Amino acid sequence: PILFDFYVLSLSWSPTFCDAQKGGRNAQQCGADKDFGFIVHGLWPQYERGYPEFCKVGEPGRVPNELGRPLFDIMPSMGLIGHQWRKHGACSGLSQRDYLKAIRTAYDRIKMPAGLADPTAAQTLSASAIEDAFIKDNPGMQPQGIAVTCERDKLDEVRICMTKDFGFRTCPEVDRRS
């Protein structure tokens, strides 16, 4: 069995991704008809220090469409889903099906702060204000268990540390990288 200590649920802020040259070419996530806010970048198995990646497992690297498509509301690309399976999910000790269910479970565990969830509302907030909003709306979440990253002056990701059964926990190494 593959052993790890906890998960990081990485939530990407879609407008920042789509504003980037590379993201703007992603028709599944970006475009005038798309209004994604926070999407799942990944659910990453972690050690207390470091993380496993690209583990060898008996399942194929490609995720079948019938397993990936149900996540399109929170993870809108088979390319993203497949990459996350290969790099991180294969290290979870779960099957593809169970890893994708774990992504949904982790995402559903998070209450998105109402004031932050609208991708069309232009706001200027500090990283700590964003952390505070998540902590306020998610009882049990602590400042040392969430990390906000920015791409220049734009929100990039919110990374939330979770136990293997999707409770909130602290993660000093992840928190230091925010």
Side-chain angles (χ1 to χ4, degrees), residues 43 63-71 74-75 78 80-82 84-85 89 92 94-106:
L43 182 65
V63 174
N65 285 339
E66 63 270 12
L67 290 183
R69 285 191 186 283
L71 291 176
I74 63 170
M75 209 172 183
M78 284 305 296
L80 174 60
I81 292 167
Q84 291 303 308
W85 162 252
S92 69
L94 301 173
S95 67
Q96 281 183 352
R97 182 179 304 280
D98 289 343
Y99 175 69
L100 298 178
K101 283 182 188 174
I103 289 172
R104 174 67 70 184
T105 300

Side-chain angles (χ1 to χ4, degrees), residues 99-136:
Y99 175 69
L100 298 178
K101 283 182 188 174
I103 289 172
R104 174 67 70 184
T105 300
Y107 180 86
D108 287 348
R109 174 75 171 82
I110 305 300
K111 182 175 188 304
M112 299 298 165
L116 297 178
D118 182 0
T120 63
Q123 300 182 59
T124 301
L125 299 168
S126 68
S128 60
I130 294 167
E131 282 188 11
D132 291 346
F134 271 89
I135 291 166
K136 178 179 170 280

Side-chain angles (χ1 to χ4, degrees), residues 2 43-45 47 51-59 61 79-92 99:
I2 299 165
L43 182 65
W44 306 335
Y47 302 131
Y51 53 89
E53 61 182 350
F54 297 109
C55 299
K56 300 292 182 218
V57 293
E59 292 212 51
L80 174 60
I81 292 167
H83 175 73
Q84 291 303 308
W85 162 252
R86 289 184 296 280
K87 185 171 182 180
H88 301 287
C91 299
S92 69
Y99 175 69

